[in-house]
């Protein structure tokens, strides 16, 4: 693509900031428009597996991720009632060499602070909610809720599950509630009163699961996400306050080790889980003006801890395609052909909720390097 192309990225999430960082390094002019007035510290953590950390290393962010988060040493799957260890995955120097990167847990607020360092100063325009997207003769016109209008040659929709850019491409369609909600709580490890827990455990129940993990290398902050069935989500809010007793009640009968963790939780919130059916239209095809990445085109259930990973991989591949091809339409075709098969596998496994439940081949997922993987022939 011509380096003078004006590229607008909508959304300063994991995918948006990563694609902006790579495109800037390739010499493009990129602006990121984010609806939020600033980044806020929502009460949640995130797991970044080796296929993510090795990509973010290329933006100079790996050390920052490890300093703000924790390089996890293990992931243990345990049966909800007996506590039997069904599988254990050790993350050590040998696994880091094999996978090509560390396995990191981090507070989402801290992650955003690190990601922001991957783009040039003043790249992000906060308080810019995209409300309208219109094709002009030689560009796209973007209108924001603050009244500002800009023109761009290429628009990258990295605006998450309720993507406005997706609406433009595919027509408005609400995401679907998957019949599950997630309790989320972050609390000081001191509240465990000396009770030692592994870096990450997934407790597998028949219809629900809970995942407590550390968020810092000092192991002084814990995040516990617990997913439970729910008939409906009636609130307009993205989350509602909840309580320790509701959390405990939802995991009544689970093993004593998990009860001990849930007795320590504080500041509990409850979140609905949404996804969308698979859709393989990620761009406007021959027009070569508009393209989607991450949750904007393939939101998935969070049961493989991989939605963010897919957004980061998309970002690396899309920037490589825009760098390689003269025509954006060709770049989009290559991007879609490269990404759709892998994302479809991850979407399917996320739906099944089987990842790392027992012995699992993790190499195809963690060893993948989106910065060097072959691009599809188009
Ligand atoms: C409970 C739960 C746990 C999860 N755990 C993990 C995990 O451990 N590991 C993992 O890899 N993934 C996990 N995920 C998935 C992950 O959070 C998402 O897949 C990831 O955040 C998607 O990144 P994104 O950049 O595509 O979108 P987002 O992170 O959603 O970013 C979209 C951005 O666009 C902005 N935006 C939206 N609309 C507009 C607009 N109109 N104008 C301007 N800006 C706009 C938003 O404010 C936001 O900043 C989890 C998800 C859930 C629900």
């Amino acid at each position: 693509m011509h380096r003078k192309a004006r590229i607008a990225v909508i959304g300063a999430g994991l995918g948006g900031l990563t694609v902006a960082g790579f495109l800037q390094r390739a010499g493009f002019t990129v602006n990121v428009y984010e609806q939020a007035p600033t980044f806020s510290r929502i009460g949640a953590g995130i797991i970044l597996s080796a296929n993510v950390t090795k990509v973010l290393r290329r933006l100079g962010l790996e050390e920052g991720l490890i300093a703000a988060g924790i390089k996890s040493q293990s992931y243990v799957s345990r049966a909800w009632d007996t506590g039997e260890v069904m599988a254990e995955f050790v993350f050590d120097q040998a696994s880091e060499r094999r996978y090509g990167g560390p396995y990191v847990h981090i507070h989402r607020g801290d992650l955003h602070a690190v990601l922001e360092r991957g783009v040039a100063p003043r790249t992000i325009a906060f308080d810019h909610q995209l409300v309208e997207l219109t094709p002009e003769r030689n560009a796209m016109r973007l209108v924001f809720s603050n009244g500002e209008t800009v023109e761009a040659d290429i628009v990258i929709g990295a605006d998450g599950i309720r993507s406005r850019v997706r609406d433009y491409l595919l027509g408005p369609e609400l995401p679907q509630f998957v019949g599950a909600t997630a309790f989320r709580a972050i609390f000081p490890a001191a509240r465990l009163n000396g009770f030692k827990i592994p870096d990450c455990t997934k407790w597998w129940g028949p219809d629900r699961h809970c995942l407590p993990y550390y968020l810092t290398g000092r192991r002084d902050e814990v995040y516990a996400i617990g997913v439970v069935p729910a008939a409906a989500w009636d609130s307009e809010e993205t989350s509602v306050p909840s309580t320790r007793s509701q959390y405990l009640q939802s995991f009544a009968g689970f093993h004593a080790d998990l009860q001990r963790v849930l007795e320590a939780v504080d500041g509990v919130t409850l979140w609905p889980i949404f996804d969308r059916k698979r859709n393989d239209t990620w761009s406007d095809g021959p027009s070569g003006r508009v393209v989607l990445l991450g949750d904007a085109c393939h939101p998935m259930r969070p049961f493989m801890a991989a939605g963010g990973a897919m957004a980061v991989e998309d970002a690396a591949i899309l920037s490589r395609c825009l760098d390689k091809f003269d025509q954006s339409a060709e770049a989009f075709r290559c991007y879609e052909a490269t990404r759709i098969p892998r994302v479809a596998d991850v979407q399917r496994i996320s739906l099944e909720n089987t990842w790392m439940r027992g012995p699992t081949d993790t190499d195809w997922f963690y060893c993948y390097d989106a910065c060097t993987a072959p691009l599809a022939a188009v």
Side-chain angles (χ1 to χ4, degrees):
M1 271 299 297
H2 201 292
R3 292 303 185 267
K4 288 211 170 115
R6 296 158 298 174
I7 301 182
V9 177
I10 310 301
L14 209 44
L17 289 179
T18 305
V19 78
F22 279 116
L23 288 171
Q24 287 179 337
R25 276 160 185 75
F28 290 100
T29 303
V30 186
N31 290 297
V32 179
Y33 300 96
E34 168 57 46
Q35 65 183 2
T38 172
F39 289 135
S40 60
R41 276 179 73 88
I42 67 154
I46 187 163
I47 292 173
L48 304 177
S49 42
N51 46 322
V52 180
T53 52
K54 80 182 73 159
V55 170
L56 297 180
R57 174 188 305 149
R58 270 51 166 251
L59 296 177
L61 304 178
E62 184 180 17
E63 276 177 20
L65 292 176
I66 295 168
I70 172 174
K71 221 161 94 137
S72 177
Q73 290 179 354
S74 68
Y75 177 108
V76 189
S77 276
R78 295 183 71 183
W80 69 284
D81 48 356
T82 59
E84 176 205 347
V85 173
M86 303 184 311
E88 178 160 12
F89 302 84
V90 173
F91 303 117
D92 54 11
Q93 280 183 352
S95 74
E96 201 171 318
R97 263 197 308 277
R98 191 170 78 250
Y99 295 146
Y103 190 92
V104 170
H105 315 155
I106 188 167
H107 191 299
R108 282 181 186 249
D110 296 337
L111 170 63
H112 269 94
V114 174
L115 288 173
E116 213 176 339
R117 291 180 221 146
V119 296
R122 292 179 296 283
T123 298
I124 310 172
F126 286 100
D127 228 343
H128 279 65
Q129 180 181 45
L130 179 74
V131 288
E132 211 181 297
L133 187 60
T134 328
E136 305 269 278
R137 215 156 74 87
N138 290 317
M140 293 298 296
R141 198 168 71 95
L142 309 177
V143 181
F144 297 94
S145 59
N146 61 10
E148 214 174 289
T149 299
V150 299
E151 275 197 352
D153 299 306
I154 290 185
V155 178
I156 300 178
D159 47 345
I161 189 162
R162 290 174 195 278
S163 167
R164 182 69 197 81
V165 185
R166 182 191 193 277
D167 288 351
Y168 166 79
L169 280 183
L170 299 167
E173 185 188 12
L174 288 175
Q176 59 188 8
F177 178 62
V178 307
T181 50
F183 289 99
R184 285 169 145 176
I186 291 180
F187 57 97
R191 293 180 59 90
L192 291 169
N193 290 324
F195 181 58
K196 293 271 174 273
I197 58 171
D199 283 348
C200 181
T201 309
K202 185 162 176 177
W203 291 92
W204 297 77
D207 65 350
R208 62 198 63 209
H209 62 262
C210 189
L211 204 82
Y213 58 83
Y214 283 111
L215 288 180
T216 59
R218 294 180 302 281
R219 294 185 174 76
D220 57 3
E221 197 168 46
V222 182
Y223 172 55
I225 167 164
V227 176
V228 298
W233 179 263
D234 298 325
S235 172
E236 287 291 302
E237 303 296 324
T238 51
S239 71
V240 296
S242 183
T243 61
R244 183 184 316 131
S245 69
Q246 282 169 347
Y247 203 164
L248 270 164
Q249 224 173 8
S250 296
F251 286 89
F254 270 62
H255 191 269
D257 284 1
L258 179 66
Q259 303 283 344
R260 209 129 165 215
V261 174
L262 297 186
E263 272 155 21
V265 301
D266 200 20
V268 184
T269 47
L270 189 67
W271 301 67
I273 299 181
F274 291 98
D275 70 359
R276 291 184 189 275
K277 289 214 174 60
R278 178 177 162 182
N279 143 64
D280 292 348
T281 303
W282 293 12
S283 75
D284 61 359
S287 307
R289 294 256 176 235
V290 182
V291 64
L292 303 174
L293 61 72
D295 276 10
C297 51
H298 50 66
M300 54 187 77
R301 299 185 190 199
F303 307 152
M304 190 177 162
M310 291 302 95
V312 167
E313 290 183 3
D314 287 351
I317 298 282
L318 177 58
S319 59
R320 285 174 63 197
C321 293
L322 287 168
D323 187 29
K324 175 175 171 181
F325 291 94
D326 290 339
Q327 301 300 324
S328 52
E330 257 183 295
F332 293 172
R333 212 166 46 243
C334 177
Y335 160 66
E336 289 173 314
T338 307
R339 291 302 296 154
I340 286 173
R342 179 168 165 90
V343 170
D345 281 345
V346 173
Q347 233 168 349
R348 178 181 46 76
I349 297 168
S350 300
L351 201 66
E352 292 165 358
N353 191 16
T354 49
W355 185 245
M356 288 163 72
R357 185 173 196 276
T360 304
D361 167 22
T362 52
D363 281 8
W364 69 272
F365 187 58
Y366 295 151
C367 293
Y368 183 85
D369 185 346
C371 294
T372 57
L375 299 177
V378 286

